[in-house]
Amino acid sequence: MYAFEYVKPKDLDDAVALLKNHEEAQPVSGGQTLIPTLKQRLAAPTQLVDLKHVHGLSGVTHDNHHVCVGATTRHMDVEQSDILHHHIPAVAELAGQIGDPQVRRRGTIGGSLANNDPSACYPSAAMALDARIHTNSRMLMAEDFFTGLFMTALEEGEVITRVDFKIPARAKYMKFPNPASRYAMTGVFVAQFHDEDGVRVAITGASEDGVMRHHGLEAALNANFHADAVDAVAISADGLMSDLHGSAAYRANLIKVMTKRAVSAIQ
Amino acid sequence: MTSVSININGVQKTAEIADNTLLVDFLRTEARLTGTHVGCDTSQCGACVVHVNGHSVKSCAMLALEADGAEVATIEGMADADGSLGVLQKAFQEHHGLQCGYCTPGMVMSAADLLKTNKNPTDHEVREWLEGNICRCTGYHNIVKAIQSAAAEMRG
Ligand SMILES: Cc1cc2nc3c(=O)[nH]c(=O)nc-3n(C[C@H](O)[C@H](O)[C@H](O)COP(=O)(O)OP(=O)(O)OC[C@H]3O[C@@H](n4cnc5c(N)ncnc54)[C@H](O)[C@@H]3O)c2cc1C
Ligand code: FES
Ligand code: FES
């Protein structure tokens, strides 16, 4: 690891000021991605600004239409949240499938969204549940937030503070985990709303551009919310990842299989 | 350099350290407790699992400064006061839950955390819980057996 200074501000303004005043400062939350990255010397921040002690960034609340999850809320807290179990159990289940218990004990939703790993789980929930991602300075819809592989619309020094998931009528996340890393080889989040949003299908782990929606699957499921409706949808392998874990065609098939499993679980 | 003070197995350890010191390195080189192992560079193997304020974490994926003021429990703290093995450790020995022993400190610490909240886990729950602990020797069966036998003994 390169040398850095570790700071743990208690208030959001101080955290943002530290990040803005030091060009090479970087936020750290659960550290489950960043610390391994630092160990490999793939990042060289001069300051690590720990967000875990910043007041008001952690916890789960809700209103009539959204469940709101603070950025430093850990995966295990999401997994065990009564509010999520009641309103969007699919999100609690998703969190419970991330990595292993020790990763879930420290990793946070804000870190996961900011990192936008193409195989991470949360980005699919954010896309399918039309999430609002709040930062210290603005609010972005999930669709505008994720901009590509490991890329987001966050600017230098901008900090995610909260995520609001829109409450669906029903939803399910189905993940085919990579047996070694536990990340998604392909994960599909299906949500059905009773308003103009209809059915939203978001896929992680498959596309070369990171998380994506699949309009073909959405149209088919809007017409008939049944696993059989998925059979007729052509899933193109164009733009899907090919790597040592699986070819693009294999991932295209996984999209179909995982979507069917998700829909059959809630149809 | 920054001052850090961590209670390790009941003993307060204070030192001046570089900010980028990992908790596992603090335990092994500053506190000289080498029972906590490092088995990978990617935070995937679980050989480094310790408890921070009662909960299992990977000490290779945490800075020592993040544990400032905390209570840390390591494998060295699992033995009874007279140095004899604790219930979980004995069960690993009894059921041949280790071969080379490299993964064992992490396995024991991870299992101890599980048994705090789930006193009567199913085999499936034990296996799910050990997702982050890799063993290259045993094939896991005897580890699960050891944990189940310790759980039964703890239930009395
Ligand atoms: C063994 C292992 C298995 C895993 N398996 C999975 C899996 O199955 N599915 C999955 O989705 N993930 C998985 N992960 C990743 C895990 O979920 C991480 O916790 C997560 O991706 C990052 O969250 P963090 O809080 O640890 O972030 P950190 O590591 O602290 O930070 C990650 C990045 O986000 C930035 N950041 C952090 N918080 C904020 C914020 N609030 N605002 C702006 N930027 C911020 C940091 O600067 C850094 O660049 C796994 C990790 C490990 C080690
Ligand atoms: S040393 Fe492998 S997970 Fe910590
Ligand atoms: S006993 Fe050798 S790695 Fe587990």
Coordinates of all heavy atoms in Angstrom, one line a residue, chain B residues 69-135:
Chain B
G69 N -9.8 1.9 19.6 CA -10.8 2.0 20.7 C -11.7 0.7 20.7 O -12.5 0.6 21.6
A70 N -11.5 -0.2 19.8 CA -12.3 -1.4 19.8 C -11.8 -2.5 20.6 O -10.6 -2.5 21.0 CB -12.5 -1.8 18.3
E71 N -12.6 -3.5 20.8 CA -12.2 -4.8 21.4 C -12.0 -5.8 20.3 O -13.0 -6.1 19.5 CB -13.2 -5.3 22.4 CG -13.2 -4.4 23.6 CD -14.2 -5.0 24.7 OE1 -14.7 -6.1 24.5 OE2 -14.4 -4.2 25.7
V72 N -10.8 -6.4 20.2 CA -10.6 -7.4 19.2 C -10.3 -8.7 19.9 O -9.6 -8.8 20.9 CB -9.3 -6.9 18.3 CG1 -8.9 -8.1 17.4 CG2 -9.7 -5.7 17.5
A73 N -10.9 -9.8 19.3 CA -10.6 -11.1 19.8 C -10.0 -11.9 18.7 O -10.4 -11.9 17.6 CB -11.9 -11.8 20.3
T74 N -8.9 -12.6 19.0 CA -8.2 -13.4 18.0 C -8.2 -14.8 18.5 O -8.6 -15.1 19.6 CB -6.7 -12.9 17.9 OG1 -6.0 -13.3 19.1 CG2 -6.6 -11.4 17.6
I75 N -7.6 -15.7 17.7 CA -7.6 -17.1 18.1 C -6.8 -17.4 19.4 O -7.2 -18.3 20.1 CB -6.9 -18.0 16.9 CG1 -7.1 -19.5 17.1 CG2 -5.5 -17.6 16.7 CD1 -8.5 -20.0 17.0
E76 N -5.9 -16.5 19.7 CA -5.1 -16.7 20.9 C -6.0 -16.5 22.1 O -5.8 -17.1 23.2 CB -4.0 -15.7 21.0 CG -2.8 -16.0 20.1 CD -2.9 -15.4 18.7 OE1 -4.0 -14.9 18.4 OE2 -2.0 -15.4 17.9
G77 N -7.1 -15.8 21.9 CA -8.0 -15.6 23.1 C -9.1 -16.7 23.2 O -10.0 -16.6 24.1
M78 N -9.0 -17.7 22.3 CA -10.1 -18.7 22.4 C -9.8 -19.8 23.4 O -10.6 -20.6 23.8 CB -10.2 -19.4 21.0 CG -10.8 -18.4 19.9 SD -12.4 -17.7 20.4 CE -13.5 -19.1 19.9
A79 N -8.5 -19.9 23.8 CA -8.1 -20.9 24.7 C -8.6 -20.5 26.1 O -8.8 -19.3 26.4 CB -6.6 -21.1 24.8
D80 N -8.8 -21.4 27.0 CA -9.2 -21.1 28.4 C -8.0 -20.4 29.1 O -6.9 -20.5 28.6 CB -9.7 -22.3 29.1 CG -10.9 -22.9 28.5 OD1 -11.6 -22.2 27.8 OD2 -11.2 -24.1 28.6
A81 N -8.3 -19.8 30.2 CA -7.3 -19.0 31.0 C -6.1 -19.8 31.3 O -4.9 -19.3 31.2 CB -7.9 -18.5 32.2
D82 N -6.2 -21.1 31.5 CA -5.0 -22.0 31.9 C -4.3 -22.5 30.6 O -3.4 -23.3 30.7 CB -5.5 -23.1 32.7 CG -6.4 -24.1 32.0 OD1 -6.7 -23.8 30.8 OD2 -6.8 -25.1 32.6
G83 N -4.7 -22.0 29.4 CA -4.0 -22.4 28.2 C -4.6 -23.6 27.5 O -4.2 -23.9 26.4
S84 N -5.6 -24.3 28.2 CA -6.1 -25.4 27.5 C -7.1 -25.0 26.5 O -7.7 -23.9 26.5 CB -6.8 -26.4 28.6 OG -7.8 -25.6 29.2
L85 N -7.3 -25.8 25.5 CA -8.1 -25.4 24.3 C -9.6 -25.2 24.7 O -10.2 -25.9 25.6 CB -8.1 -26.6 23.2 CG -6.7 -26.9 22.6 CD1 -6.9 -27.9 21.6 CD2 -6.1 -25.6 22.0
G86 N -10.2 -24.2 24.0 CA -11.6 -23.9 24.2 C -12.5 -25.0 23.5 O -12.0 -25.9 22.8
V87 N -13.8 -24.9 23.7 CA -14.7 -25.9 23.2 C -14.6 -26.1 21.7 O -14.5 -27.2 21.2 CB -16.2 -25.6 23.6 CG1 -17.1 -26.5 23.0 CG2 -16.3 -25.5 25.1
L88 N -14.6 -25.0 21.0 CA -14.5 -25.1 19.5 C -13.2 -25.7 19.1 O -13.1 -26.5 18.2 CB -14.7 -23.7 18.9 CG -16.0 -23.4 18.3 CD1 -16.1 -21.9 17.9 CD2 -16.3 -24.2 17.0
Q89 N -12.1 -25.2 19.7 CA -10.8 -25.7 19.3 C -10.7 -27.2 19.6 O -10.2 -28.0 18.7 CB -9.7 -25.0 20.1 CG -9.6 -23.5 19.7 CD -8.7 -22.8 20.7 OE1 -8.9 -22.8 21.9 NE2 -7.6 -22.1 20.2
K90 N -11.2 -27.6 20.7 CA -11.2 -29.1 21.0 C -11.9 -29.9 20.0 O -11.5 -31.0 19.6 CB -11.8 -29.3 22.4 CG -10.7 -29.6 23.5 CD -11.4 -30.1 24.8 CE -11.1 -29.1 25.9 NZ -12.1 -28.9 26.9
A91 N -13.1 -29.3 19.6 CA -13.9 -30.0 18.7 C -13.2 -30.2 17.3 O -13.3 -31.2 16.7 CB -15.3 -29.3 18.5
F92 N -12.5 -29.2 16.9 CA -11.7 -29.3 15.7 C -10.7 -30.4 15.8 O -10.5 -31.1 14.8 CB -11.0 -27.9 15.3 CG -11.9 -27.0 14.4 CD1 -13.0 -26.4 14.9 CD2 -11.5 -26.7 13.1 CE1 -13.8 -25.6 14.1 CE2 -12.3 -25.9 12.3 CZ -13.4 -25.3 12.8
Q93 N -10.0 -30.4 16.9 CA -9.0 -31.5 17.1 C -9.7 -32.9 17.1 O -9.2 -33.8 16.4 CB -8.3 -31.2 18.5 CG -7.1 -32.1 18.8 CD -6.6 -31.8 20.1 OE1 -7.3 -31.7 21.1 NE2 -5.3 -31.6 20.2
E94 N -10.7 -33.0 17.9 CA -11.5 -34.2 18.0 C -12.0 -34.8 16.7 O -11.9 -36.0 16.4 CB -12.7 -33.9 18.9 CG -13.3 -35.1 19.6 CD -12.5 -35.4 20.9 OE1 -11.5 -34.8 21.2 OE2 -13.0 -36.3 21.6
H95 N -12.5 -33.9 15.9 CA -13.2 -34.4 14.6 C -12.3 -34.2 13.4 O -12.8 -34.3 12.3 CB -14.5 -33.6 14.4 CG -15.5 -33.9 15.5 ND1 -16.4 -35.0 15.3 CD2 -15.7 -33.4 16.7 CE1 -17.1 -35.1 16.4 NE2 -16.8 -34.1 17.3
H96 N -11.0 -34.0 13.6 CA -10.1 -33.9 12.5 C -10.5 -32.8 11.6 O -10.6 -33.0 10.4 CB -10.0 -35.2 11.8 CG -8.7 -35.4 11.0 ND1 -7.5 -35.4 11.6 CD2 -8.5 -35.6 9.7 CE1 -6.5 -35.5 10.7 NE2 -7.1 -35.7 9.5
G97 N -10.9 -31.6 12.2 CA -11.4 -30.5 11.4 C -10.2 -29.7 10.8 O -10.5 -28.6 10.3
L98 N -9.0 -30.2 10.9 CA -7.9 -29.5 10.3 C -6.8 -30.5 9.9 O -6.7 -31.5 10.4 CB -7.3 -28.5 11.3 CG -6.6 -29.0 12.5 CD1 -5.5 -28.0 13.0 CD2 -7.6 -29.2 13.6
Q99 N -6.1 -30.0 8.8 CA -4.9 -30.8 8.4 C -3.7 -30.0 8.5 O -3.0 -30.0 9.5 CB -5.2 -31.4 7.0 CG -6.3 -32.5 7.1 CD -6.6 -33.1 5.7 OE1 -5.8 -33.1 4.8 NE2 -7.8 -33.6 5.6
C100 N -3.5 -29.1 7.5 CA -2.3 -28.2 7.6 C -2.5 -27.1 8.7 O -1.6 -26.6 9.3 CB -2.0 -27.6 6.3 SG -3.0 -26.1 5.9
G101 N -3.8 -26.8 8.9 CA -4.1 -25.8 10.0 C -4.1 -24.4 9.6 O -4.3 -23.5 10.4
Y102 N -3.7 -24.1 8.3 CA -3.6 -22.7 7.9 C -4.9 -21.9 8.0 O -4.9 -20.8 8.5 CB -3.0 -22.6 6.5 CG -2.3 -21.3 6.3 CD1 -1.0 -21.1 6.7 CD2 -3.1 -20.2 5.8 CE1 -0.4 -19.8 6.5 CE2 -2.5 -18.9 5.7 CZ -1.1 -18.8 6.0 OH -0.5 -17.6 5.9
C103 N -6.0 -22.6 7.7 CA -7.3 -21.9 7.6 C -7.9 -21.9 9.0 O -8.9 -21.2 9.2 CB -8.2 -22.6 6.7 SG -8.7 -24.2 7.2
T104 N -7.4 -22.7 9.9 CA -8.1 -23.0 11.2 C -8.4 -21.8 12.1 O -9.6 -21.7 12.6 CB -7.4 -24.1 12.0 OG1 -7.0 -25.1 11.1 CG2 -8.2 -24.7 13.1
P105 N -7.5 -20.9 12.3 CA -7.8 -19.7 13.1 C -9.0 -19.0 12.6 O -9.9 -18.6 13.3 CB -6.6 -18.8 13.0 CG -5.5 -19.8 12.7 CD -6.1 -20.8 11.8
G106 N -9.1 -18.8 11.3 CA -10.2 -18.0 10.7 C -11.5 -18.8 10.8 O -12.6 -18.3 11.1
M107 N -11.4 -20.2 10.6 CA -12.6 -21.0 10.7 C -13.1 -21.0 12.1 O -14.4 -20.8 12.3 CB -12.2 -22.5 10.4 CG -11.8 -22.8 9.0 SD -13.4 -22.9 8.0 CE -12.7 -23.2 6.4
V108 N -12.3 -21.1 13.1 CA -12.7 -21.1 14.5 C -13.4 -19.7 14.8 O -14.5 -19.7 15.4 CB -11.5 -21.4 15.4 CG1 -11.9 -21.2 16.9 CG2 -11.1 -22.9 15.2
M109 N -12.7 -18.6 14.4 CA -13.3 -17.3 14.7 C -14.6 -17.1 14.0 O -15.6 -16.5 14.6 CB -12.3 -16.2 14.4 CG -11.0 -16.3 15.2 SD -11.2 -16.6 16.9 CE -11.8 -15.0 17.5
S110 N -14.7 -17.5 12.8 CA -15.9 -17.4 12.0 C -17.0 -18.2 12.7 O -18.2 -17.7 12.9 CB -15.7 -17.8 10.6 OG -16.7 -17.4 9.7
A111 N -16.7 -19.5 13.0 CA -17.7 -20.4 13.6 C -18.2 -19.8 15.0 O -19.3 -19.9 15.3 CB -17.1 -21.8 13.8
A112 N -17.2 -19.3 15.7 CA -17.6 -18.7 17.1 C -18.6 -17.6 16.9 O -19.5 -17.5 17.7 CB -16.3 -18.2 17.8
D113 N -18.5 -16.8 15.9 CA -19.4 -15.7 15.6 C -20.8 -16.3 15.3 O -21.8 -15.9 15.8 CB -18.9 -14.9 14.5 CG -19.7 -13.6 14.3 OD1 -20.5 -13.3 15.2 OD2 -19.6 -12.9 13.3
L114 N -20.8 -17.3 14.4 CA -22.1 -18.0 14.1 C -22.8 -18.5 15.3 O -24.0 -18.2 15.5 CB -21.9 -19.1 13.1 CG -23.1 -20.0 12.8 CD1 -24.1 -19.2 12.0 CD2 -22.7 -21.3 12.1
L115 N -22.1 -19.2 16.2 CA -22.7 -19.8 17.3 C -23.2 -18.9 18.4 O -24.0 -19.2 19.3 CB -21.7 -20.9 17.9 CG -21.4 -22.0 17.0 CD1 -20.5 -23.1 17.7 CD2 -22.6 -22.7 16.4
K116 N -22.7 -17.6 18.3 CA -23.2 -16.6 19.2 C -24.7 -16.3 18.9 O -25.5 -16.1 19.9 CB -22.5 -15.3 19.0 CG -21.2 -15.2 19.8 CD -20.7 -13.8 19.7 CE -19.2 -13.8 20.1 NZ -18.6 -12.5 19.8
T117 N -25.1 -16.3 17.7 CA -26.4 -15.9 17.3 C -27.3 -17.1 16.9 O -28.5 -17.0 17.0 CB -26.4 -14.9 16.2 OG1 -25.6 -15.4 15.1 CG2 -25.9 -13.5 16.6
N118 N -26.6 -18.1 16.5 CA -27.4 -19.3 16.0 C -26.9 -20.5 16.8 O -25.9 -21.1 16.4 CB -27.3 -19.5 14.5 CG -28.2 -20.6 14.0 OD1 -28.7 -21.4 14.7 ND2 -28.3 -20.6 12.7
K119 N -27.5 -20.9 17.9 CA -27.0 -21.9 18.8 C -27.2 -23.3 18.2 O -26.6 -24.2 18.7 CB -27.6 -21.7 20.2 CG -27.4 -20.3 20.7 CD -27.2 -20.3 22.2 CE -26.9 -18.9 22.8 NZ -25.8 -18.3 22.2
N120 N -28.1 -23.4 17.3 CA -28.5 -24.7 16.8 C -28.6 -24.7 15.2 O -29.7 -24.9 14.7 CB -29.8 -25.2 17.4 CG -30.0 -26.7 17.3 OD1 -29.1 -27.4 16.7 ND2 -31.1 -27.2 17.7
P121 N -27.5 -24.4 14.6 CA -27.6 -24.2 13.1 C -27.7 -25.6 12.4 O -27.3 -26.6 12.9 CB -26.2 -23.6 12.7 CG -25.3 -24.1 13.8 CD -26.1 -24.2 15.1
T122 N -28.3 -25.6 11.2 CA -28.3 -26.7 10.4 C -27.0 -26.8 9.7 O -26.2 -25.8 9.6 CB -29.4 -26.6 9.3 OG1 -29.1 -25.5 8.4 CG2 -30.8 -26.4 9.9
D123 N -26.7 -28.0 9.1 CA -25.4 -28.1 8.4 C -25.4 -27.1 7.2 O -24.3 -26.5 6.9 CB -25.3 -29.5 7.8 CG -24.9 -30.6 8.8 OD1 -24.8 -30.2 10.0 OD2 -24.7 -31.8 8.4
H124 N -26.5 -26.9 6.6 CA -26.6 -25.9 5.5 C -26.2 -24.5 6.0 O -25.4 -23.8 5.3 CB -28.0 -26.0 4.9 CG -28.1 -25.0 3.7 ND1 -27.5 -25.2 2.5 CD2 -28.7 -23.8 3.6 CE1 -27.8 -24.2 1.7 NE2 -28.5 -23.4 2.3
E125 N -26.7 -24.2 7.2 CA -26.4 -22.8 7.7 C -25.0 -22.7 8.0 O -24.4 -21.6 7.8 CB -27.3 -22.5 8.9 CG -28.8 -22.2 8.6 CD -29.7 -22.2 9.8 OE1 -29.4 -22.9 10.8 OE2 -30.7 -21.5 9.7
V126 N -24.4 -23.8 8.5 CA -22.9 -23.7 8.8 C -22.1 -23.5 7.6 O -21.3 -22.6 7.5 CB -22.5 -25.0 9.5 CG1 -20.9 -25.0 9.7 CG2 -23.1 -25.1 10.9
R127 N -22.5 -24.3 6.5 CA -21.8 -24.1 5.3 C -22.0 -22.8 4.6 O -21.0 -22.2 4.1 CB -22.2 -25.2 4.3 CG -21.7 -26.6 4.7 CD -22.3 -27.7 3.8 NE -21.8 -29.0 4.3 CZ -20.6 -29.6 4.0 NH1 -19.8 -28.9 3.2 NH2 -20.3 -30.7 4.5
E128 N -23.2 -22.2 4.7 CA -23.4 -20.9 4.1 C -22.6 -19.9 4.9 O -22.0 -19.0 4.3 CB -24.9 -20.5 4.3 CG -25.8 -21.2 3.3 CD -25.8 -20.5 2.0 OE1 -26.2 -19.3 1.9 OE2 -25.4 -21.2 1.0
W129 N -22.5 -20.0 6.2 CA -21.8 -19.1 7.0 C -20.3 -19.1 6.7 O -19.6 -18.1 6.8 CB -22.1 -19.3 8.5 CG -21.4 -18.3 9.4 CD1 -20.2 -18.3 9.9 CD2 -22.0 -17.0 9.7 NE1 -19.9 -17.2 10.6 CE2 -21.0 -16.3 10.5 CE3 -23.2 -16.3 9.4 CZ2 -21.2 -15.0 11.0 CZ3 -23.4 -15.1 9.9 CH2 -22.4 -14.4 10.7
L130 N -19.8 -20.3 6.4 CA -18.4 -20.4 6.1 C -18.0 -20.1 4.7 O -16.9 -20.3 4.2 CB -17.9 -21.8 6.4 CG -18.0 -22.3 7.9 CD1 -17.4 -23.7 8.1 CD2 -17.2 -21.3 8.8
E131 N -18.9 -19.4 4.0 CA -18.7 -19.1 2.6 C -17.4 -18.3 2.4 O -16.6 -18.5 1.4 CB -19.8 -18.1 2.1 CG -19.8 -17.8 0.7 CD -19.9 -19.0 -0.2 OE1 -20.8 -19.8 -0.1 OE2 -19.0 -19.1 -1.1
G132 N -17.0 -17.5 3.4 CA -15.8 -16.7 3.2 C -14.6 -17.3 3.8 O -13.5 -16.7 4.0
N133 N -14.6 -18.6 4.2 CA -13.5 -19.3 4.8 C -13.1 -20.4 3.8 O -13.8 -21.4 3.7 CB -13.8 -19.8 6.2 CG -14.0 -18.7 7.2 OD1 -15.1 -18.3 7.3 ND2 -13.0 -18.3 7.8
I134 N -11.9 -20.3 3.2 CA -11.5 -21.4 2.3 C -10.6 -22.3 3.0 O -9.6 -21.9 3.7 CB -10.9 -20.7 1.1 CG1 -11.9 -20.0 0.3 CG2 -10.2 -21.8 0.2 CD1 -11.4 -19.2 -0.9
C135 N -10.8 -23.6 2.8 CA -9.9 -24.7 3.3 C -9.4 -25.5 2.1 O -10.3 -26.0 1.4 CB -10.6 -25.6 4.3 SG -9.5 -26.9 4.9

